[in-house]
Amino acid sequence: MRLKASPPPPTAKAANGISPATSSPAQSNPPRITFFFDIDNCLYPRSKAVYSLMQELIDAYFQTHLSLSPADAESLHKKYYTEYGLAIEGLVRHHKVDALEYNRLVDDALPLDGIIEEDKELRRLLEDLDTSKVRPWLLTNAHVTHGMRVVQLLGLDGIFEGITYCDYAQERLLCKPHAEMFEKAETEAGVSGVQECYFVDDSALNCKAAQERGWTTVHKIEPEDSEPKAKPAKYCVRHLSELRELFPQFFKSTGSSGD
């Protein structure tokens, strides 16, 4: 069964030129593979502290809208994140929260200007992808407005062919690491099999789920991190530039017609 993704608000589409997935999937062109990129803490380093800022806003939302103490808000936030992969899913399921209002007060309220900056080196790396062999695609648990905002601030307009996101406008929220989210990504990107799917994410849980599904998966960790003892993915990198070394056949500067 093909899952449909609701088109985002027009302002989101205009933000950086990405055409978010709609009910009509992209046409597959074997042997072209799809390389799925996570966004937060993957396209930019954890040192930007966006995650910490987001946690503060989420905890504040729990306190304000559920009338909880700071300790109880933090505890329930962690519980929902652990159980569902996203705090907002627990809020929607158990408290009938308006997910789009939550997005406005949390993700879209993040003061990203001046924190996330244009990354010319990353753009050069991604522009070097041979798009006759690779379809660059975004796969995020954020809503489309946040995802596109980050991509725009990084200066990556026009790099990605599409985005699969957690659609906060839907009654049921789909997110990584649940299998249905990966199925949704496959459908929207127009892939014909898991062997065509490559994926990089900073979340070990997401990498493990994708790897078990049959995707070729790369766990992105920070330079100061130790590799986890239980490897969640086939590959591990500390910088996205290492993707060129792992998969030289997918880059114009290192690939060859014999690959």
Side-chain angles (χ1 to χ4, degrees):
M1 176 179 179
R2 291 188 181 274
L3 300 177
K4 296 182 179 180
S6 298
T11 53
K13 183 174 182 179
N16 65 359
I18 298 174
S19 298
T22 65
S23 57
S24 297
Q27 293 299 312
S28 181
N29 184 27
R32 195 174 184 229
I33 64 97
T34 299
F35 212 123
F36 294 98
F37 290 81
D38 177 43
I39 297 178
D40 290 302
N41 284 353
C42 187
L43 295 183
Y44 61 83
R46 189 175 62 206
S47 60
K48 295 292 184 182
V50 173
Y51 179 80
S52 297
L53 291 171
M54 187 177 293
Q55 301 315 294
E56 292 175 8
L57 290 176
I58 293 174
D59 285 345
Y61 186 95
F62 273 73
Q63 292 175 48
T64 301
H65 289 78
L66 303 183
S67 300
L68 297 176
S69 68
D72 288 342
E74 183 179 0
S75 177
L76 189 60
H77 169 195
K78 290 181 178 178
K79 179 177 185 291
Y80 287 164
Y81 180 82
T82 301
E83 290 182 2
Y84 304 118
L86 278 178
I88 181 58
E89 186 171 352
L91 288 169
V92 170
R93 285 193 185 202
H94 302 293
H95 307 281
K96 307 304 179 185
V97 160
D98 182 334
L100 290 176
E101 181 197 42
Y102 168 94
N103 182 67
R104 180 178 62 82
L105 296 174
V106 178
D107 291 27
D108 287 352
L110 287 166
L112 298 182
D113 295 323
I115 297 177
I116 295 180
E117 301 172 335
E118 183 179 4
D119 189 336
K120 294 181 179 178
E121 183 178 350
L122 178 58
R123 184 176 182 91
R124 284 193 294 270
L125 173 74
L126 296 174
E127 284 181 331
D128 192 35
L129 283 168
D130 184 347
T131 54
S132 70
K133 299 178 180 178
V134 181
R135 177 187 298 110
W137 198 275
L138 294 163
L139 176 54
T140 178
N141 277 351
H143 190 52
V144 64
T145 51
H146 172 77
M148 288 187 165
R149 182 183 175 203
V150 171
V151 169
Q152 182 184 35
L153 288 171
L154 287 167
L156 301 179
D157 310 60
I159 294 292
F160 300 96
E161 296 186 21
I163 177 171
T164 295
Y165 57 94
C166 184
D167 189 352
Y168 287 9
Q170 298 299 308
E171 183 176 350
R172 182 163 177 257
L173 303 181
L174 296 180
C175 64
K176 301 173 288 183
H178 300 299
E180 290 167 295
M181 184 60 160
F182 293 110
E183 179 184 352
K184 177 184 178 184
E186 291 166 6
T187 300
E188 292 181 346
V191 302
S192 59
V194 294
Q195 71 280 359
E196 297 177 12
C197 299
Y198 287 66
F199 177 53
V200 59
D201 197 311
D202 66 290
S203 164
L205 285 175
N206 295 342
C207 288
K208 184 174 184 291
Q211 188 73 27
E212 290 174 350
R213 187 173 179 82
W215 290 19
T216 300
T217 305
V218 182
H219 186 205
K220 195 255 186 181
I221 62 175
E222 296 297 314
E224 65 272 18
D225 291 343
S226 299
E227 290 191 31
K229 293 182 180 179
K231 294 182 181 293
K234 183 176 182 179
Y235 302 103
C236 182
V237 300
R238 287 182 166 80
H239 300 279
L240 291 179
S241 59
E242 295 173 56
L243 294 176
R244 187 187 278 114
E245 300 170 16
L246 290 176
F247 311 111
Q249 70 273 28
F250 297 149
F251 290 86
K252 289 176 284 190
S253 62
T254 52
S256 68
S257 58
D259 287 325

